[in-house]
Amino acid sequence: MLFDTTQAKRRQGPRGSFDMLLVIALVGLACVGVVMVASSSIAVAESQHIGAFYFLKRHLLFLTLGVVLASFAMRTELKLLEKHAYLLFAGAVVLLLLVFVPGIGMRLNGAHRWLNFRITSFQPVEAVKLILVIYTASYLVRHRESVETSFWGLFKPIMVAGMFVVLLLAQPDFGSATLMIAVTIGMIWLGGAKPVYLGGMGLPVVALLWFVAKFEPYRMRRLTSFVDPWADPFNDGFQLTQSLMAIGRGEWTGVGLGSSVLKLSYLPEAHTDFIFAVISEEFGLVGILVVMSLFGLAVGRGLYLGVKGMELGQRFAGYVACGISLMIGLQAMVSIGVNLGALPTKGLTLPLISYGGSSIVLTCAMAGVLLRTTYEINRAIDARQMAARMPANAVPDANAAVAPVREAVTA
């Protein structure tokens, strides 16, 4: 069984279990995604004469692939990911460089963000997000003391994230670059870095991102148009004005599933970047609260168990859990903020809900790794409870009996 709590346990040893609240939240988000992709994509598919359910069928296919990948991730010991963190990092760099290779990389809407696999395309940044979390977590475990006490201990993970940012800005992908920097800083802070050191390292990065945004006029227009989208509602403010009208029409309980008007070729990217606006129109404030509650539950449980893992000595599992939770939570916050007009327009999908092959497959893989961290953290909790209950004279060789438990706690 996929959620067998006895998986990989020792005989009479500590047992692990996947966090069921987290499972419920993630499955709930995926189910919302299936329903809303079906609702929001029909008009887009019909306008392109490719069949009303073209995007839904592909979304279900990608979701199935994602579930398969997640199941493998859930059965993979985290020590393997920690051991091969450098190899994964090298693979991430190669993936980000391949988008610029003619014949392999694809140029779409002026951006080099996709790899051409003939039968489908792949966006490497989705895999790089997970790899960055794994590499940063392994670094924090290996250099815990220097991260907590030294300014230079922060330099390497920030520079690694900076390398990814440079490659992403060359594509260009400003939204993902900003997200990666934010997650890296968040993980380092959770790793015990002093705020003054983080400020000293983070301020130049923020200044660099601001300079990059100001250097490209279209980025500055995006950064400023959300303040007053009605000043230019048919150009720079078009997406946001349509999104706000959709959200306003939803009122308290929405206009009903499938009854959205703005998705009928008025709202651009209705099934991807602006799917939250369609949810708001069709389900109103109730739908907004349900989606935000599911994200809150998923991110909250991930962060809680991540911190718990660090306290138990499962530092790698804890850092990975916190990093993935931050990645999903911040991306969801940005996507929702863009739809509500609270943040500048960025091309970030709503995790597990928006249509998108690379996004849905790799987010499922990320969710699988997150669930694996909860399994190993819960195994450590069970090991500690076993050690507390076991009397020293319960067996002839008490140390031999407690050894498996002690190993699980300190692994």
Side-chain angles (χ1 to χ4, degrees), residues 164-248:
F164 288 151
V165 165
V166 170
L167 292 174
L168 288 171
L169 291 177
Q171 293 184 6
D173 190 348
F174 189 80
S176 295
T178 306
L179 179 65
M180 286 189 178
I181 284 291
V183 171
T184 302
I185 292 175
M187 290 183 67
I188 295 173
W189 177 71
L190 289 171
K194 295 181 179 179
V196 64
Y197 292 160
L198 278 176
M201 187 69 72
L203 287 177
V205 175
V206 173
L208 175 62
L209 291 175
W210 174 256
F211 173 79
V212 171
K214 193 172 182 179
F215 184 74
E216 290 288 348
Y218 82 92
R219 289 198 185 112
M220 283 304 299
R221 288 196 298 269
R222 282 188 172 186
L223 289 172
T224 56
S225 62
F226 85 102
V227 177
D228 184 13
W230 305 102
D232 192 6
F234 299 106
N235 192 10
D236 293 328
F238 182 74
Q239 287 179 311
L240 182 52
T241 54
Q242 301 301 307
S243 176
L244 293 175
M245 284 190 285
I247 294 170

Side-chain angles (χ1 to χ4, degrees), residues 284-363:
L285 180 62
V286 173
I288 291 175
L289 293 177
V290 168
V291 171
M292 294 183 71
S293 296
L294 288 173
F295 276 115
L297 178 59
V299 175
R301 289 298 294 177
L303 290 174
Y304 169 77
L305 289 170
V307 173
K308 193 74 173 178
M310 286 184 261
E311 294 174 352
L312 291 169
Q314 297 282 318
R315 304 196 68 83
F316 181 74
Y319 291 137
V320 170
C322 289
I324 291 176
S325 299
L326 287 173
M327 189 72 73
I328 293 175
L330 289 176
Q331 181 167 334
M333 183 184 73
V334 171
S335 179
I336 292 173
V338 166
N339 279 248
L340 293 174
L343 292 172
T345 302
K346 289 282 162 273
L348 293 176
T349 57
L350 192 57
L352 293 175
I353 294 181
S354 294
Y355 170 82
S358 304
S359 175
I360 196 69
V361 171
L362 271 302
T363 303

Side-chain angles (χ1 to χ4, degrees), residues 14 380-392 401-402 404-406 409:
I381 293 174
D382 188 57
R384 173 166 291 191
Q385 292 172 346
M386 288 179 64
R389 292 193 302 263
M390 186 177 296
V402 178
V405 179
R406 185 183 296 116
V409 174

Side-chain angles (χ1 to χ4, degrees), residues 12 390-404:
Q12 297 181 344
M390 186 177 296
N393 59 353
V395 293
D397 188 351
N399 289 330
V402 178

